[in-house]
């Protein structure tokens, strides 16, 4: 892998790849949106109303608001992850779409940047849909502040898109992705404060949690929902950027080894 | 159009391409032949800059590869061995999407689509989904897709493998039409008749080396006697012992068949007619004879 590791050469040629994915998605946009959004919304509303009515306010916000802020980050993460795992894998391995594109004057750097920006776009849509529910139910503190959630969501999509591409690069089949969900995504959901505050965890797990990207995502999103400026914005933004970029660079090296050896 | 010198590529301990030299002239059809594992597909990947050689130089349409592979690929259309059409798009959308990868505007591709569909014989299938196309149609669409940016040179990796005779002939017609328009074609194939029909010149590769290069007819004349009589049936062994050495210029026993290479097939056939149990096929020598003589008859799996 070391042999294949180098800085990506970024160019605007990633746009046709993004566009290809967009045009395919457009054909199935309505069912795809419903499918992507129904699940997180049902969880959020079901748990938020059902469980929330039994719980006291957390840090001065209702449990529903608390959960809604977590769901924005969680659903964005899932959308990006699913896209670069299952969909990108279909295009790379099953349909050999990437092979076809590589015969044109395109590089793997372009293709994977196209995939990453596409995953970011799709997860942006997911995050914004949850945000729309937050607006609709009036779960926010300050409307103008919640607009900052849009760039946050894009950043979260970028972060998990980049990370997921690494899995895509090393996976022999679809089944392999289950490991990533069981060993990375699900623990992260439980450790990063989606459903309950991180402060409820034992100290050791709290310090693990501080390193996880979803924690940084939620630390940005949650204050913005209730109308507060988040603490340590630079730290969280940098952490998400590093996870995403590092993922992209490593994934590029691994995929280069896989397809261009 | 294509100039390759001393090309080598090693995977682990296996030297897949070993010091390959190739010259392809503008407007000709050049065949790359060789048994499985001879290095044909790896050679094509190297020529496109999809993998870096360990040593050697490649100049494609005057452009250095892999240094300027992106620019070189602008000049090349590729028909890969495995179909990789976009199953989520219709026939027309496949062409439109592929044109964009070459930086073409939608208007520029749209203007070329009718011509490409006509060329592929798919004019009435523009809106069909890929899953509805037959194997031959998919191949033709892949060929049309490779022409979307009007390249000077075409790489075809086993373009007719898996097609029925009708579909193969259609592809060949298309390729002849492209040659008549002045395109250069580099083609790998397992089918000797395909190479004999299409290639102006060809190289036979084995174990990553060029074994021989030349025009198909010239190669046959240089390496093989003019005619071949294949003999098989009861009593072959006795007949071979008694007559092969005297009647054939060269002979070879493979399994239950005797290959008798000769300049005077009539005398062989006259002798065979006296042994009714023996059956025979008389044919002119062909490229397959050259291929098998030079690369051997062992299976390459």
């Amino acid at each position: 892998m070391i042999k294949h590791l180098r800085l990506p050469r970024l160019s605007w040629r990633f746009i046709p790849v993004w566009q290809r994915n967009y045009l395919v998605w457009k054909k199935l946009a309505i069912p795809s949106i419903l499918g992507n959004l129904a699940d997180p919304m049902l969880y959020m509303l079901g748990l938020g109303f059902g469980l929330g009515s039994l719980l006291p306010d957390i840090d001065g916000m209702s449990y529903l608001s608390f959960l809604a802020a977590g769901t924005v980050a969680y659903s964005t993460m899932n959308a990006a992850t699913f896209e670069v795992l299952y969909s990108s894998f279909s295009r790379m391995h099953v349909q050999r779409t990437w092979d076809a594109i590589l015969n044109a004057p395109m590089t793997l750097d372009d293709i994977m940047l196209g995939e990453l920006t596409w995953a970011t776009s799709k997860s942006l849509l997911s995050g914004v849909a949850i945000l729309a529910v937050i607006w609709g139910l009036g779960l926010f503190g300050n409307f103008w502040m919640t607009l900052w959630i849009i760039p946050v969501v894009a950043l979260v999509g970028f972060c998990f898109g980049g990370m997921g591409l690494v899995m895509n690069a090393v996976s022999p089949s679809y089944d392999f992705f289950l490991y990533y969900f069981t060993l990375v995504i699900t623990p992260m959901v439980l450790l990063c404060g989606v459903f309950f505050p991180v402060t409820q965890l034992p100290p050791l797990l709290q310090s693990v949690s501080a390193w996880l990207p979803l924690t940084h995502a939620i630390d940005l999103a949650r204050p913005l929902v209730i109308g507060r400026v988040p603490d340590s914005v630079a730290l969280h933004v940098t952490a998400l950027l590093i996870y995403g970029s590092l993922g992209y660079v490593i994934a590029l090296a691994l995929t280069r080894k896989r397809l261009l050896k | 159009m294509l100039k390759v010198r001393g090309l080598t590529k090693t995977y682990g301990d296996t030297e897949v391409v070993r010091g390959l030299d190739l010259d392809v002239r503008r407007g000709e059809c050049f065949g790359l032949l060789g048994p499985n594992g001879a290095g044909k597909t790896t050679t094509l990947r190297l020529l496109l800059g999809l993998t870096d050689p360990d040593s050697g130089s490649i100049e494609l349409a005057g452009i250095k590869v892999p240094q300027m592979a992106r620019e070189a690929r602008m000049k090349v259309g590729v028909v890969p061995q495995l179909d990789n059409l976009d199953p989520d798009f219709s026939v027309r959308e496949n062409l439109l999407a592929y044109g964009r990868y070459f930086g073409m505007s939608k208007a520029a591709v749209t203007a070329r689509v009718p011509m490409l569909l006509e060329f592929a014989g798919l004019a009435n299938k523009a809106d069909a989904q890929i899953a509805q196309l037959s194997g031959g149609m998919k191949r033709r669409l892949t060929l049309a897709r490779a022409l979307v940016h009007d390249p000077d040179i075409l790489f075809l990796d086993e373009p007719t493998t898996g097609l029925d005779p009708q579909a193969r002939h259609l592809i060949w017609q298309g390729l002849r039409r492209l040659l008549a328009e002045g395109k250069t074609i580099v083609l790998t194939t397992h089918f000797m008749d395909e190479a004999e029909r299409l290639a102006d010149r060809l190289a036979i590769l084995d174990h990553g080396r060029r074994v021989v290069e030349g025009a198909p007819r010239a190669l046959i004349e240089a390496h093989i006697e003019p005619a071949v009589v294949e003999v098989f049936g009861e009593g072959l062994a006795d007949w071979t012992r008694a007559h092969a050495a005297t009647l054939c210029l060269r002979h070879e026993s493979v399994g239950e068949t005797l290959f008798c290479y000769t300049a005077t097939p009539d005398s062989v056939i006259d002798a065979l007619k006296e042994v009714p149990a023996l059956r025979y096929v008389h044919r002119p020598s062909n490229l397959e004879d050259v291929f098998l003589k030079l690369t051997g008859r062992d299976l390459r799996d």
Side-chain angles (χ1 to χ4, degrees):
Chain A
M1 182 193 129
I2 299 300
K3 198 181 88 176
H4 296 275
L5 201 58
R6 57 168 170 75
L7 277 184
R9 295 189 194 124
L10 304 183
S11 86
W12 292 107
R13 287 190 180 256
F14 77 88
I15 291 174
V17 178
W18 184 94
Q19 206 173 2
R20 182 247 161 236
N21 293 345
Y22 166 72
L23 290 171
V24 172
W25 172 82
K26 210 173 74 172
K27 295 186 175 202
L28 299 163
I30 301 291
S32 156
I33 292 174
L34 291 177
N36 269 330
L37 302 184
D39 198 56
M41 269 185 224
L42 288 173
Y43 265 93
M44 176 178 115
L45 297 175
L47 287 178
F49 282 116
L51 203 57
S53 60
L54 302 170
L55 294 171
D57 282 3
I58 301 169
D59 299 334
M61 65 180 115
S62 72
Y63 184 69
L64 186 56
S65 294
F66 178 90
L67 185 63
T71 306
V72 170
Y74 162 58
S75 135
T76 306
M77 168 182 82
N78 263 352
T81 305
F82 267 102
E83 186 62 27
V84 293
L85 263 51
Y86 293 92
S87 308
S88 293
F89 190 73
S90 301
R91 294 189 278 265
M92 174 184 77
H93 185 74
V94 183
Q95 299 174 187
R96 299 179 172 278
T97 310
W98 292 14
D99 287 346
I101 301 176
L102 281 170
N103 284 331
M106 303 280 284
T107 60
L108 203 54
D109 311 38
D110 301 328
I111 296 176
M112 293 181 64
L113 185 59
E115 292 287 336
L116 179 54
T117 49
W118 171 246
T120 305
S121 312
K122 252 189 105 172
S123 55
L124 179 67
L125 190 74
S126 260
V128 168
I130 301 291
L131 185 58
V133 177
I134 291 175
W135 289 332
L137 297 179
L139 299 174
F140 56 89
N142 174 327
F143 175 77
W144 299 107
M145 200 78 112
T146 61
L147 292 182
W148 280 105
I149 291 175
I150 298 170
V152 167
V153 155
L155 187 59
V156 175
F158 169 81
C159 169
F160 287 99
M163 287 171 58
L165 280 172
V166 178
M167 286 294 116
N168 182 61
V170 295
S171 177
S173 70
Y174 290 113
D175 299 326
F176 185 79
F177 296 136
L178 203 57
Y179 293 119
Y180 186 58
F181 278 100
T182 351
L183 299 175
V184 179
I185 296 294
T186 307
M188 194 138 54
V189 171
L190 295 172
L191 288 177
C192 295
V194 176
F195 298 111
F196 52 86
V198 176
T199 47
Q200 298 302 109
L201 293 169
L204 177 69
L205 289 180
Q206 280 190 41
S207 43
V208 172
S209 168
W211 286 92
L212 298 175
L214 188 61
T215 303
H216 294 287
I218 292 176
D219 282 349
L220 287 171
R222 191 161 278 145
L224 289 170
V225 169
I226 55 171
R228 262 190 247 146
V229 178
D231 298 330
S232 335
V233 173
L235 168 74
H236 300 313
V237 169
T238 311
L240 291 169
L241 279 175
I242 287 178
Y243 271 110
S245 317
L246 217 56
Y248 173 68
V249 172
I250 293 171
L252 196 54
L254 291 169
T255 315
R256 210 174 270 134
K257 187 173 164 233
R258 178 177 186 144
L259 297 181
L260 302 180
K261 58 171 190 192
Chain B
M1 204 64 193
L2 175 66
K3 196 169 136 189
V4 176
R5 290 290 175 271
L7 196 64
T8 60
K9 178 72 185 176
T10 309
Y11 290 124
D13 295 334
T14 327
E15 273 189 282
V16 184
V17 179
R18 304 200 270 187
L20 189 64
D21 295 339
L22 290 174
D23 285 283
V24 178
R25 299 168 200 143
R26 179 176 293 276
E28 77 174 345
C29 177
F30 189 87
L32 273 180
L33 278 64
N36 281 336
K40 303 185 296 291
T41 300
T42 305
T43 302
L44 284 190
R45 289 175 59 80
L46 286 164
L47 298 183
L48 287 166
L50 292 177
T51 181
D52 290 344
D54 296 325
S55 65
S57 69
I58 302 166
E59 219 174 275
L60 181 55
I63 301 168
K64 284 204 178 310
V65 174
Q67 295 85 342
M68 307 270 280
R70 209 194 263 268
E71 288 76 6
R73 289 207 292 270
M74 280 301 283
K75 312 260 185 194
V76 187
V78 181
V79 177
Q81 206 176 95
L82 298 168
D83 274 317
N84 53 22
L85 294 162
D86 209 317
D88 298 312
F89 283 142
S90 70
V91 168
R92 185 201 313 273
E93 288 166 337
N94 258 281
L95 297 174
L96 290 173
Y98 210 67
R100 274 195 294 268
Y101 302 140
F102 288 87
M104 296 171 75
S105 70
K106 189 175 181 189
V109 191
T110 310
R112 284 181 61 76
V113 165
M115 189 274 288
L116 293 169
L117 290 178
E118 183 273 326
F119 173 82
L122 294 170
N124 55 352
K125 294 276 178 190
D127 298 310
Q129 294 303 308
I130 299 308
Q132 299 166 341
L133 302 183
S134 68
M137 288 175 175
K138 282 185 195 159
R139 280 280 88 185
R140 269 144 46 208
L141 179 56
T142 308
L143 180 57
R145 187 184 70 174
L147 296 167
V148 73
H149 57 301
D150 196 18
D152 298 330
I153 179 165
L154 270 170
F155 285 178
L156 304 134
D157 197 359
E158 299 187 15
T160 64
T161 296
L163 298 187
D164 65 22
Q166 286 84 352
R168 296 179 75 196
H169 276 274
L170 262 178
I171 296 275
W172 290 338
Q173 273 173 33
L175 295 181
R176 284 212 190 85
R177 205 170 128 189
L178 293 171
L179 289 168
E181 288 170 16
K183 305 269 188 222
T184 308
I185 293 180
V186 176
L187 151 106
T188 80
T189 182
H190 282 311
F191 299 118
M192 299 303 136
D193 59 327
E194 182 163 281
E196 226 171 315
R197 273 197 178 89
L198 291 172
D200 298 305
R201 289 186 313 123
L202 57 89
I204 296 178
L205 308 187
D206 200 14
H207 303 297
R209 281 209 184 88
R210 184 181 58 184
V211 181
V212 75
E213 182 183 306
R217 274 282 110 207
L219 287 177
I220 297 167
E221 280 165 23
H223 291 275
I224 305 290
E225 298 72 12
V228 184
V229 183
E230 296 180 18
V231 191
F232 41 93
E234 198 91 2
L236 178 64
D238 294 338
W239 193 88
T240 305
R241 262 193 302 279
H243 300 289
T246 47
L247 287 171
C248 311
L249 290 169
R250 187 165 62 87
H251 67 276
E252 205 180 348
S253 288
V254 182
E256 303 296 303
T257 306
L258 170 77
F259 289 80
C260 174
Y261 301 93
T262 171
T264 51
D266 291 344
S267 57
V268 180
I269 290 166
D270 287 343
L272 282 166
K273 280 181 177 157
E274 290 165 19
V275 193
L278 286 178
R279 292 162 57 204
Y280 66 90
V281 176
H282 164 220
R283 59 175 177 80
S285 53
N286 62 30
L287 200 55
E288 191 153 298
D289 299 316
V290 180
F291 185 88
L292 290 171
K293 182 180 175 192
L294 297 178
T295 63
R297 289 182 184 268
D298 299 335
L299 270 184
R300 312 291 176 86
D301 290 326

